[in-house]
Amino acid sequence: MTSPLRRPLIAGNWKMHLTLAQSVDLARAVKDGCAGAPGEVAVCVPFTAVSVVAQVLKGSPVKLGAQDLFWEAQGAFTGEVSAGMLVDAGAQAVVIGHSERRRLFGDTDEAVNRKLRAALAAELMPIVCVGETLQEREEQRTFKVLQTQLEGGLKGFAPADLSRVVIAYEPVWAIGTGKTATPDQAQEAHLFIRKTCARLYGEGFAAGLRILYGGSVKAENVDALMAQPDLDGALVGGDSLKAQSFLRIMHFNAPAGAK
Ligand code: PGA
């Protein structure tokens, strides 16, 4: 039986999109549309939108996240934002180690690890992203890459410290490309992640760990993905920016015609 700790989570990742006015509109649509969703819902918004979206989501079950943070609490770190600042602005969650951060901004597994520590200390819910590139997959290195990212990113914690952590499996070749991993490919990777976490932190921890899939999740493919036993939710980029699509995704498995 699936652990009750693995409540499904559908999280939107707005990336670097939307004006404040558009953010307010979209957050309002998500808030108004979340009733009856089978799991938890979150939106991860640009830093500049955190406090305004927090006002919109006040009193609603929709969780608010940011997309990155810096590990120091404060100081001369021009351009950076700390975990405490995110909490102060109203965030409850944060994405860490997204492949765009890793690829474009040089985030290493060590940086992910430090950011994770800071997020946990601030009682944020970290969504730690892992995933292989197309080349790594073609060279049969997917499992090796996932293992390295998990071992490096989650290093040095006790299982109890990590109870709030969510992992997102995001194959880089599926992000923003319209190319989704097949449900079987996703399941295979999720099972590997769960087994690796069992080895690192024990069966009990792994059994309660939420593992999201990300990479071109859409209204049309979410149900088949969510039917896989080790998928506990989705991290949605492009289709989280369209209220209608995101609402259908957060209501995965809804009968046709329903929201
Ligand atoms: P996508 O992005 O849904 O646009 O592929 C997913 C992500 O990067 O989190």
Side-chain angles (χ1 to χ4, degrees):
M1 206 190 75
T2 304
S3 161
L5 296 175
R6 283 168 53 192
R7 178 152 187 243
L9 169 63
I10 303 293
N13 172 10
W14 293 2
K15 306 194 180 183
M16 198 174 76
H17 289 289
L18 308 182
T19 62
L20 288 182
Q22 290 167 332
S23 300
V24 165
D25 286 350
L26 183 55
R28 205 167 274 145
V30 172
K31 176 183 175 173
D32 293 346
C34 75
E40 247 180 340
V41 176
V43 288
C44 301
V45 308
F47 290 139
T48 46
V50 172
S51 64
V52 252
V53 171
Q55 291 308 311
V56 176
L57 296 180
K58 215 177 204 165
S60 100
V62 178
K63 281 214 156 91
L64 174 59
Q67 302 167 13
D68 191 25
L69 80 169
F70 187 55
W71 55 78
E72 294 291 348
Q74 60 191 25
F77 303 105
T78 302
E80 295 297 328
V81 175
S82 72
M85 288 169 167
L86 292 180
V87 171
D88 188 43
Q92 300 143 300
V94 64
V95 176
I96 298 176
H98 189 280
S99 65
E100 286 148 18
R101 300 286 335 159
R102 293 175 187 264
R103 183 166 51 88
L104 302 170
F105 303 100
D107 280 16
T108 59
D109 292 330
E110 195 203 334
V112 169
N113 187 257
R114 298 175 86 161
K115 289 179 179 189
L116 176 58
R117 192 168 292 282
L120 289 169
E123 302 197 347
L124 288 162
M125 176 179 81
I127 303 176
V128 178
C129 302
V130 295
E132 81 287 0
T133 63
L134 183 58
Q135 189 182 352
E136 289 161 346
R137 174 162 283 264
E138 285 173 344
E139 292 170 356
Q140 323 286 334
R141 288 196 287 130
T142 298
F143 287 171
K144 182 78 204 129
V145 168
L146 295 178
Q147 184 180 326
T148 304
Q149 290 177 342
L150 289 167
E151 285 177 354
L154 304 184
K155 194 168 161 180
F157 294 97
D161 299 337
L162 296 173
S163 59
R164 269 195 313 278
V165 170
V166 174
I167 302 288
Y169 169 61
E170 297 209 312
V172 179
W173 49 272
I175 296 176
T177 57
K179 238 198 247 175
T180 317
T182 64
D184 287 348
Q185 283 174 324
Q187 167 59 23
E188 183 187 41
H190 281 231
L191 185 60
F192 177 80
I193 290 168
R194 201 175 301 287
K195 284 189 173 158
T196 301
C197 290
R199 184 169 53 70
L200 295 173
Y201 286 108
E203 295 287 344
F205 170 75
L209 176 68
R210 292 195 287 186
I211 307 174
L212 315 184
Y213 168 78
S216 301
V217 174
K218 302 187 179 312
E220 300 78 44
N221 58 29
V222 66
D223 295 350
L225 287 163
M226 289 302 290
Q228 297 299 318
D230 286 287
L231 259 86
D232 306 307
L235 183 56
V236 187
D239 276 38
S240 73
L241 295 171
K242 305 174 220 156
Q244 206 189 351
S245 310
F246 191 62
L247 258 55
R248 176 58 184 84
I249 293 169
M250 73 199 199
H251 290 271
F252 61 89
N253 287 339
K259 198 162 47 182

